[in-house]
Structure formats: C-alpha cells, structure tokens
Amino acid sequence: MKKIKVTKRVRVKVPWYERPPLLIGAIAIVLAVAGLLMAHLNRGTGSPGVLGSSGGSDTTQAHPAQAVAVEQDTVLGAHVLSLGEPFEAPDPGDLLPPIAAETLGDAADVRALLREVRHVSLGEVGPGGAGFLEAGELVAASAAGRLIPEAWGDLPLGVEHRPWTDYELHRGEGGQIYLLAFVSVEVAEALGLLAPGLDLPPPEPQPEIPWWQFWKKAPEPEELVLYQGSEILLYPDLNPVATCAVALPVEHVALDGVRRVRAGLSHPVDAIEATLTLGE
C-alpha cells in the first residue's frame, strides 16, 4: 500500500509596507503630523524677530519719496504724545515720552522740539551739541565704546540731515548722550510706559509646553511689555511702520547691527537692531 505524502504549506509573512491598508494608514499619519508641524512653524510667518520690525518689509509696495503717510489709522496709546501736546521738562538722563508724527514735516518739527527741550544745537561742540550719523557709523561707534561724553568730539557728526538715512544724536548739558530714532506705535507705547526712568523689569519666565504638544505656542501678551534684554528695531526717519520719535539715553541701549528693510518706501532703509539694557 503506497503512503500518501503530505506537504506542509508554509505561509510567507508579507511586510507591512507591502500591505495596502497599513501602508496607506502610515502615509496618512505622516502627512497629518507634517501638517501640524508646518502649521506650528508658519503660525508666526511675517512676524518680526525684533520688536517693531515689519515682517513683510522686503516686499511692501513703494510710496512716493516725498509723501510718507501711515497706511492705516494709527491709534496712539496713553503714553505716546501727539505733536503739540505739552509735557514736563526732563531731568538729565530721563526718557521723554515718545511723540507721534504723520508727515515728514511733522518729523522735522519733532526733531526740532526735542533739540529745544534738551537745549542742544546742531554743530555745537561739547555739551549742548547735536549731529547726525548713518546706521553703520553709529553701530561701529557703539561697538567701539565711543558713544560716551569723553569721545563725543571724535564722532564724525554731520549737520545736514539726510531723510531715511541719518540718525540724530544729542549731547545734553549734563553730558548724557541721546539717540533719536523712530519706532512702531507698539514699541513707543511700551517705552512711554517706562518713562522717565526707563526702569526695565527682568524678563518673565515663559510657561513650559510639554514636548509632545509641539503644535502649541506660548500665548501672546495682549500688550507689548519691554524687559531687560528686549530687542527692538530703530528707524532713522518717519515711515509707515515707524511713526513715533523717541530719544533714548544711549546708556540704556546696545546697538547690535544693521538690518536693511523696505519700510513702505521706494528704497531700502538701514534700520538698527538694538537691545534694551539697564544702563549704569
């Protein structure tokens, strides 16, 4: 009698990536995670890395060079003055309230007013003097430690103001040096809140977000608050993204570098990246 040969059937295991349901599910999960990650990264697209900068500044449309106006209605805070509003005479080293301007003529009037308040004049040598420096020269002087009363005479100050190029420096009768620049309304309001002493609080700790909640971001404050080490962007003249003039005591600001931006003008502007400090 012939024996029947029984053959054992071996089942070959198919890899998961060759099984359509599992492969499609895995692709869907990867796409979902990538989408959440991109949404998290792009949530702040266009936001400035430095306070007061314009996220879309490199692509804003050009405006006629002789007519600069704010593109939208500007709402001034309680600590930003309009041109013509009275304020108390400052003590040496005080931060004056920021003053808003709407036209280039207003900006020139604000500069003249701040010179009058500080009792300084263009071209004057020593205490009571004022002059202009472009962004690169100003940052270089700051880096070399030459923005001090003892080195005032060595600064290559000009007496003719070039719109959207020159920053103005004042040397008060008490010897203090002030940098006149234009900032955004939000930064101006936050600076005005700290006037006249510019007593910057230490930075508040940020709430920690668990690593697995990577799609979340720390909540944005309702109002801008400036701290020790806050970075702001300073502009040399009035433009649509910086409509408030402020005279900062240089001992309270470190000038870190120059950023070329298009601030709603027909040509780029050299803005200064600055960090607020406690001073001496």
Side-chain angles (χ1 to χ4, degrees):
M1 205 173 160
K2 189 176 181 181
K3 291 184 179 180
I4 299 175
K5 188 175 182 182
V6 178
T7 304
K8 187 176 182 181
R9 183 175 297 176
V10 179
R11 186 175 182 180
V12 179
K13 188 175 182 180
V14 179
W16 68 269
Y17 51 80
E18 293 184 5
R19 301 170 67 181
L22 294 180
L23 180 60
I24 293 173
I27 293 174
I29 292 173
V30 171
L31 291 176
V33 172
L36 289 173
L37 183 59
M38 290 300 295
H40 171 72
L41 294 176
N42 293 332
R43 186 177 299 176
T45 298
S47 299
V50 178
L51 299 175
S53 65
S54 174
S57 58
D58 288 331
T59 56
T60 50
Q61 68 180 36
H63 293 262
Q66 298 302 319
V68 177
V70 185
E71 294 179 345
Q72 63 272 346
D73 293 336
T74 301
V75 179
L76 299 180
H79 300 91
V80 178
L81 302 181
S82 297
L83 186 60
E85 284 191 62
F87 54 88
E88 296 182 2
D91 292 328
D94 280 355
L95 173 68
L96 289 167
I99 303 175
E102 295 184 358
T103 66
L104 288 178
D106 289 344
D109 290 342
V110 169
R111 282 191 289 269
L113 173 63
L114 292 176
R115 288 187 215 115
E116 180 182 349
V117 169
R118 292 291 183 191
H119 305 290
V120 301
S121 301
L122 292 171
E124 187 74 25
V125 178
F132 301 100
L133 275 181
E134 65 178 6
E137 293 174 328
L138 192 53
V139 171
S142 177
R146 292 190 290 121
L147 292 184
I148 55 176
E150 295 78 9
W152 176 262
D154 298 329
L155 296 174
L157 297 172
V159 294
E160 295 292 333
H161 176 255
R162 293 171 295 176
W164 303 303
T165 299
D166 289 334
Y167 292 80
E168 187 168 347
L169 286 174
H170 298 167
R171 184 179 177 187
E173 294 179 327
Q176 297 84 0
I177 297 177
Y178 307 89
L179 169 61
L180 196 157
F182 285 79
V183 297
S184 67
V185 173
E186 294 78 13
V187 171
E189 174 64 16
L191 285 171
L193 185 62
L194 296 170
L198 198 54
D199 297 322
L200 295 160
E204 293 184 353
Q206 295 294 322
E208 294 187 4
I209 299 176
W211 67 268
W212 54 271
Q213 294 181 350
F214 57 86
W215 61 88
K216 290 187 177 181
K217 293 186 69 174
E220 295 289 340
E222 294 183 2
E223 295 182 354
L224 175 64
V225 178
L226 297 176
Y227 300 96
Q228 302 167 27
S230 289
E231 297 177 349
I232 61 175
L233 201 61
L234 306 176
Y235 294 85
D237 209 345
L238 174 73
N239 62 68
V241 297
T243 59
C244 300
V246 61
L248 291 166
V250 295
E251 65 178 0
H252 284 287
V253 61
L255 308 183
D256 304 320
V258 177
R259 181 194 297 186
R260 177 153 291 189
V261 298
R262 286 193 180 276
L265 302 174
S266 58
H267 53 83
V269 172
D270 286 340
I272 293 179
E273 296 176 340
T275 302
L276 297 176
T277 66
L278 274 180
E280 300 178 358

